[in-house]
Each structure stands twice: as structure tokens, then as C-alpha cells.
Amino acid sequence: MSRTVTVGLDDSPESRAAAEWAAREALLRGLPLKIVHVQEPTPKYVARTALLDLDGYQHWAQQLTHESAEGIRLRHPGIEVITEQLTGTVADVLCEAAGFADVLVLGARALSGLRGFIVGSVSLGIVARAERPVVLVRAEEQAADEHGTDPAGVPPAAAPFPPVVLGLDIDQPDDTLLEFAFDAAARRNTALRAVHAWPEPPTSFYRFPGDAELHDTLERGQASLLSKVLRPWRQKFPDVEVIEVSRCGSAAQVLVSDSRDASLVVVGRRIRTGSFGAHIGHVTHSALHHVTAPVAVVAHG
């Protein structure tokens, strides 16, 4: 089966924004874009009622995917767009679709009047289960949002990309995560900002003598470890500018703070097969709910 960038589509603004982002990602990767609309199975007792127009729904779904595909073809000449209408549980169908995609793209909705985003249970379930990268895109995401602004403050499509930000655990660095982040920066011809956070020393709470020196020693040591993890990837991607950020504090807070100007934020999710099921981790969870840029969650072993 051929590789694609796949997006789950419904009639929401966040879904349409996700489709636009996915189209740009497909162009960056030189891959077809697949637009997938999923219809949930209809319970038999509902299907027998006169209130449900199944033929009308199918026509609407066909029109939705057709109009989305035609709009993308007009805005991005030369892109190959495939549409697919499937029936099943949305999370199950899209998880299966992710298995055949380079990237699966979904939408996330902003919280009205609050700082943060709603990532629904379906999207979270897909992120927690999919073993391919999943990108969450905000409803406010526009065609040129990933680009910097010109002198007039307008972000033209030809403007440079802001940096890709990678949240990195240097105690358990994973090649799949690093490869995805460096590749994303290389395709965008932009810098990669690798962000690592480390906890405050236990003694700092009591302000013992020598805490400042201990802090400085830890800071130098953590920065050195980060450089060591990134060194082979700098060699593999010599054209990518790498900005190393090693900071004391909460990993979630440091990552969100350093992602304010990102074009894409890349975080990991460790694949677990334990009895408690899949989960995404608190740092990734925080990024999904508080980072304003698109967030790519990369599953790894």
C-alpha cells in the first residue's frame, strides 16, 4: 500500500484546519493526501425510524469530502488527493488508517475564554493507541500560520518557518522521535530547538550552603548530556541548525513555554503493553492541551 499523509475529516472548523495542514505536510513529504470520513454504525432501532435519512447523510458525506478535496487541489496545484468514506467506530477506523500512513492528522478545538484546548476522548484514544505519528491541529490554524511574518506583519507562504520544537527526555532518548523531529526541521528548512528539563535539586528547598554551586554543576552536566544525545543527529542532518535548551523546572511547563513561537512541536509517547492499557504521559498530555502550534505525537518503543 502506498504511503500517504492521512487526515480525519468531519464538518468542524478544526477538522478543516487539520485538512489544510495535512495538505501542506503532504507537499513537504512529496506524498498523496488521503481524506478519510468515518460514519459511525447506526443502531438497528434508529435505522428503522423515519427521522434518520441515511441516503441524505451519505450524500452529505460525499459532498463534504469532495468539496474538501477540490478546495485543496485548487489551493495546492499538483497535489494528489484521495478521498475515502468508511463505516465503523471513529477511533478504531482512524487507528487502522494511521497504520498505513506516514502521519495521521486530527483537529483540536480551542477552549472559549480560557487558555488551552479541548482534545476529545476520541482524539486522545487515537493518540494513545496509534503506532504511527499523530498530529493535532488547532481550529485557528491558517494556511500560513507555520511561517514567520514579513515586515508588514503578514505571514506569507514564502516566509521562513519558525523553529520545530522537540521535547526530549535525555535519560531515554529514542531514535524514532529524534528522526521525526530532525526530518521535520530539514523539510521546513528551519532550526530545531531541542528542549530538555531537569528537576531542581532536593536540597534547594532548604537552601543549604553550596546549593548555587550544586545547581551550576547540575546545569553544566545536563547541558553536556543533551549535547551528547544530539551529536550524532547533528552529523546526520548537518544542514539543520540545532538550538539546545536545557532548563531546570517542570518538563511540561518548560516545553510549553519554549513552544510559543514553534511551527511544530514534537513529543513522544512510549508504547506500553501492560495491563493498564495505553496512555500518553503527562508531558505529552500537557503539550496537547496547552501548546498553540500543531503537536506531533510520535509513538516509540
Side-chain angles (χ1 to χ4, degrees), residues 32-283:
L33 170 68
K34 179 183 281 189
I35 300 173
V36 177
H37 175 76
V38 183
Q39 178 184 353
E40 291 271 6
T42 306
K44 291 181 180 179
Y45 69 90
V46 175
R48 289 195 297 266
T49 69
L51 297 177
L52 185 66
D53 181 2
L54 288 176
D55 290 338
Y57 176 86
Q58 302 240 342
H59 175 73
W60 171 84
Q62 289 173 355
Q63 186 176 20
L64 174 70
T65 54
H66 174 76
E67 289 179 354
S68 177
E70 286 303 303
I72 286 170
R73 291 187 185 105
L74 286 172
R75 290 187 296 275
H76 305 285
I79 189 172
E80 180 185 352
V81 183
I82 305 162
T83 63
E84 197 167 38
Q85 291 176 250
L86 302 171
T87 300
T89 303
V90 174
D92 292 341
V93 172
L94 289 180
C95 276
E96 184 177 355
F100 300 106
D102 265 29
V103 178
L104 174 67
V105 187
L106 304 171
R109 181 159 58 92
L111 288 166
S112 177
L114 298 172
R115 181 171 180 79
F117 298 89
I118 296 173
V119 182
S121 59
V122 171
S123 294
L124 282 176
I126 294 169
V127 168
R129 290 166 52 196
E131 297 192 2
R132 298 292 300 157
V134 180
V135 178
L136 272 290
V137 177
R138 312 309 179 193
E140 291 79 8
E141 180 76 8
Q142 301 298 322
D145 274 357
E146 286 187 286
H147 298 277
T149 58
D150 64 14
V154 179
F161 282 92
V164 171
V165 173
L166 166 64
L168 187 60
D169 178 0
I170 63 173
D171 293 327
Q172 296 179 308
D174 184 86
D175 287 352
T176 303
L177 179 65
L178 285 155
E179 177 89 39
F180 185 95
F182 270 87
D183 180 71
R187 291 180 188 279
R188 288 163 174 76
N189 192 27
T190 192
L192 175 68
R193 182 185 300 150
V195 178
H196 161 63
W198 47 278
E200 201 168 356
T203 59
S204 62
F205 178 78
Y206 300 100
R207 297 291 182 261
F208 287 155
D211 277 349
E213 289 140 9
L214 174 61
H215 187 280
D216 289 344
T217 300
L218 288 171
E219 186 174 50
R220 288 192 299 271
Q222 292 292 317
S224 176
L225 289 172
L226 177 60
S227 295
K228 182 178 179 181
V229 169
L230 295 172
R231 191 172 298 125
W233 294 96
R234 283 178 177 270
Q235 295 169 354
K236 188 172 181 178
F237 292 87
D239 295 331
V240 174
E241 177 191 358
V242 181
I243 303 164
E244 299 181 13
V245 178
S246 178
R247 188 167 297 154
C248 178
S250 158
Q253 291 176 1
V254 168
L255 178 63
V256 171
S257 174
D258 276 277
S259 299
R260 290 188 182 130
D261 63 340
S263 62
L264 177 67
V265 176
V266 182
V267 290
R269 178 188 73 80
R270 190 166 297 279
I271 299 172
R272 303 179 191 273
T273 57
S275 57
F276 293 104
H279 70 282
I280 61 175
H282 78 281
V283 175

